[in-house]
Amino acid sequence: MTVFDDLVGQDQAVAVLSRAAAAAGEVVAGGRGAGMTHAWLFTGPPGAGREDAARAFAAALLCPDAGCGHCDQCHQVLIGSHPDLEAVRPEGLSYSVKQTRELILRAAGAPTQGRWRVILFEDADRATESAANALLKAIEEPPPRTVWLLCSPAPDDLMITIRSRCRLITLTTPGTEAVAQVLAARDGVPWETAAFAARAAQGHIGRARALALDDAARQRREAVLGIPRSLTGVGECVSAAERLVKTAEEEAAAATAALNDNETTELRRIYGEGSTGKGLNRGLVRGGAGALKELEDRQKSRATRIKRDSLDAALLELVSFYRDVLAVQFGAGVELANDDLRFDLDQLAKKSTPEETLRRIDAIMQCRERLAANVNPQIAVEAMMLALR
């Protein structure tokens, strides 16, 4: 067993990373270490496992045996407690230049256990332009024992000057059977359920696991995929849009409520709320008002991002449905992601033309673009629903 065993369907990437990890050991020993570099860019579609691949590579770099998978170094990396691994994930809509500069300062520190200082930057494409420029300077002149691992859906999402200084690792969408085998073997999911979840998730391992193990996830999928047959009039379109947006808001609230309370309580404690002593409590809380306001802004941004991601996931479900309709209309011999809804697919395929199906797919993609441009979600989704009708 190695740290790369969980990377389903990524044999080519695993081979490159394994060689690089071995070369990294040569560098530590004073050799040339051909194939090892200080900056890496992991790209691939959603569900391909960009962050998992980057974390596995981090474990291989910090492990004395290039990622054995069972030593303390590997274990600490995989659970996120290794002192030489700095894992960063933008919680809000973007990653600011202030946060990037703070990260660069931390990255400049020497490794505490003698090998490498690894910075794993998830969703690096969310860095603002100023943050990207600051990041570029750090990648151009990194400390001798610092390795940057950047993750992004596509290379073009990052500045070309950053891309040119990174070694590219491109991950692919795993096949349905490979994902189903993982669910069956590692999670004990019955094969029929595993096959359904893998097919419906279209290679997204995390999504497939949720569909296989979580009743709520399956119910949400059923609700989204029931939208096309419910759009019989304008009123129904507006109602469907309201339900979709409300569901996203509820998911964002559920995901952030407890975390927000803990963060706010901790910050107030740090600034002295509840402390004893004449004048102590009032002065420290007043001094932390700016920090509290900054925290609230970050929390709002995080909630907006979660809501937007939830909506986007639902829109992609709809795209997969109409893509299957189009496949049925053309008689294409391809695997249908929503084959469990074959009756609905056949009915809509008979009642519409391929041109109408393409127009509906375009409407969904336009809605995604509008949401990314900060258009009011209710307005954007309503316009989409009317176009789908």
Side-chain angles (χ1 to χ4, degrees):
M1 176 181 177
T2 72
V3 292
F4 298 114
D5 287 350
D6 287 339
L7 302 183
V8 180
Q10 309 296 344
D11 295 346
Q12 185 174 357
V14 167
V16 172
L17 295 174
S18 297
R19 289 194 297 268
E26 296 176 10
V27 173
V28 173
R32 291 181 62 249
M36 178 58 190
T37 186
H38 67 280
W40 297 75
L41 175 57
F42 293 78
T43 68
R50 296 185 300 267
E51 289 77 19
D52 291 340
R55 190 173 293 274
F57 185 46
L61 291 176
L62 296 170
C63 171
D65 296 321
C68 65
H70 52 74
C71 69
D72 288 342
Q73 301 283 348
C74 289
H75 179 67
Q76 289 175 6
V77 170
L78 296 179
I79 66 174
S81 65
H82 198 288
D84 289 331
L85 173 64
E86 179 85 21
V88 178
R89 185 173 190 267
E91 293 184 337
L93 297 175
S94 62
Y95 199 72
S96 69
V97 65
K98 177 183 177 181
Q99 293 171 308
T100 303
R101 287 170 178 163
E102 292 173 351
L103 175 63
I104 292 170
L105 286 176
R106 296 195 298 272
T112 61
Q113 298 187 6
R115 290 179 63 85
W116 301 96
R117 178 79 168 156
V118 182
I119 312 300
L120 198 171
F121 194 168
E122 301 181 19
D123 295 336
D125 55 300
R126 292 184 185 266
T128 64
E129 183 177 355
S130 298
N133 287 326
L135 181 61
L136 172 62
K137 294 178 181 178
I139 292 177
E140 284 179 329
E141 300 177 3
R145 283 290 184 269
T146 296
V147 179
W148 288 86
L149 310 180
L150 310 180
C151 301
S152 174
D156 291 344
D157 292 332
L158 296 181
M159 295 168 47
I160 188 171
T161 46
I162 291 180
R163 300 200 309 264
S164 64
R165 287 163 175 79
C166 299
R167 184 167 183 186
L168 182 63
I169 297 294
T170 302
L171 304 176
T172 59
T173 301
T176 298
E177 185 173 355
V179 174
Q181 288 176 348
V182 169
L183 295 177
R186 299 179 189 173
D187 298 296
V189 178
W191 178 255
E192 184 176 350
T193 302
F196 150 74
R199 184 177 61 252
Q202 302 176 77
H204 192 306
I205 298 175
R207 173 72 173 153
R209 183 170 282 113
L211 288 174
L213 302 175
D214 186 357
D215 288 338
R218 289 193 293 271
Q219 291 171 2
R220 286 193 296 270
R221 171 180 177 268
E222 291 173 3
V224 170
L225 295 181
I227 288 174
R229 65 173 176 268
S230 72
L231 304 179
T232 57
V234 174
E236 288 76 11
C237 290
V238 174
S239 297
E242 289 178 350
R243 290 195 304 272
L244 199 60
V245 174
K246 183 179 179 181
T247 299
E249 291 174 344
E250 291 173 347
E251 289 184 6
T256 59
L259 184 58
N260 288 353
D261 288 344
N262 291 338
E263 290 175 343
T264 302
T265 299
E266 178 64 16
L267 186 63
R268 289 183 179 278
R269 185 192 65 77
I270 291 173
Y271 278 93
E273 185 172 80
S275 302
T276 58
K278 185 176 181 180
L280 179 62
N281 184 42
R282 182 179 59 186
L284 287 178
V285 171
R286 184 171 60 245
L292 186 60
K293 178 63 168 61
E294 183 178 343
L295 175 61
E296 291 173 351
D297 290 341
R298 290 203 306 270
Q299 290 173 342
K300 289 179 181 177
S301 180
R302 178 171 60 201
T304 300
R305 177 189 170 184
I306 294 174
K307 175 182 175 181
R308 184 179 294 177
D309 288 348
S310 176
L311 275 174
D312 194 61
L315 297 183
L316 290 176
E317 291 275 17
L318 286 174
V319 169
S320 75
F321 180 87
Y322 286 108
R323 173 260 187 192
D324 285 351
V325 171
L326 192 64
V328 172
Q329 288 172 329
F330 281 115
V334 297
E335 181 181 70
L336 301 180
N338 305 289
D339 192 55
D340 54 309
L341 301 174
R342 188 58 186 261
F343 178 80
D344 290 346
L345 297 175
D346 289 340
Q347 289 297 306
L348 189 54
K350 293 176 182 177
K351 294 178 180 178
S352 61
T353 65
E355 290 78 12
E356 290 173 324
T357 303
L358 286 171
R359 176 178 57 78
R360 287 169 171 145
I361 292 174
D362 287 342
I364 299 172
M365 301 307 291
Q366 186 178 51
C367 181
R368 295 183 68 209
E369 293 174 0
R370 287 171 174 170
L371 292 173
N374 291 322
V375 172
N376 181 285
Q378 184 68 35
I379 294 174
V381 177
E382 281 183 9
M384 180 198 72
M385 294 297 183
L386 291 169
L388 295 183
R389 183 176 70 93

